[in-house]
Amino acid sequence: MSPGRLPEQHILDEIERSLRRDRRLNRLLRAGRARRGPDPRRFAARVARAPRGRTVALLVAVSVALMVTGLVTGAPWAIWTFATVWPVAVFLGFRLLSRWSGDGGPGGPPDGR
């Protein structure tokens, strides 16, 4: 150690070396921008996949609750919210069922049989 060097400098040099070896940190620093909000590409990839069963079950339960609320109270907000949520639940339900059935959807089975 040189005479003008502080004892803490050795520790700082060691930390700096370990940070230089961190590949994920290097990639983030090279990107030049901090992440703000969700990544649109990742969101689009998630939406493109088939939905989870829990998501479909939750949407169906919310739709049924809104339908019952709309029928009992006649509240326009409940009816319009039901009219918005129900088609989404049905669409995602069909996508989920097509994934489970193994058929590729309108084009037929994915293996071409």
Side-chain angles (χ1 to χ4, degrees):
M1 194 175 343
S2 65
R5 241 171 115 101
L6 296 173
E8 294 88 9
Q9 190 65 39
H10 176 69
I11 296 169
L12 292 174
D13 290 341
E14 195 63 38
I15 292 171
E16 192 176 333
R17 267 194 298 278
S18 67
L19 287 175
R20 259 194 236 116
R21 286 190 300 260
D22 189 354
R23 290 181 182 163
R24 189 170 35 170
L25 178 65
N26 284 337
R27 192 171 47 242
L28 285 173
L29 290 174
R30 269 183 288 165
R33 68 172 179 89
R35 278 190 145 178
R36 286 180 174 71
D39 185 11
R41 289 176 296 177
R42 237 166 74 197
F43 179 74
R46 250 189 114 171
V47 170
R49 291 192 310 237
R52 295 180 177 156
R54 285 185 303 209
T55 305
V56 174
L58 178 70
L59 283 172
V60 168
V62 167
S63 297
V64 169
L66 286 168
M67 180 179 60
V68 169
T69 303
L71 288 173
V72 170
T73 64
W77 65 266
I79 295 168
W80 282 105
T81 308
F82 166 75
T84 304
V85 173
W86 178 248
V88 174
V90 169
F91 174 73
L92 292 178
F94 280 130
R95 284 191 58 201
L96 182 68
L97 289 174
S98 71
R99 180 182 72 175
W100 283 345
S101 71
D103 114 19
D111 59 358
R113 283 189 283 173

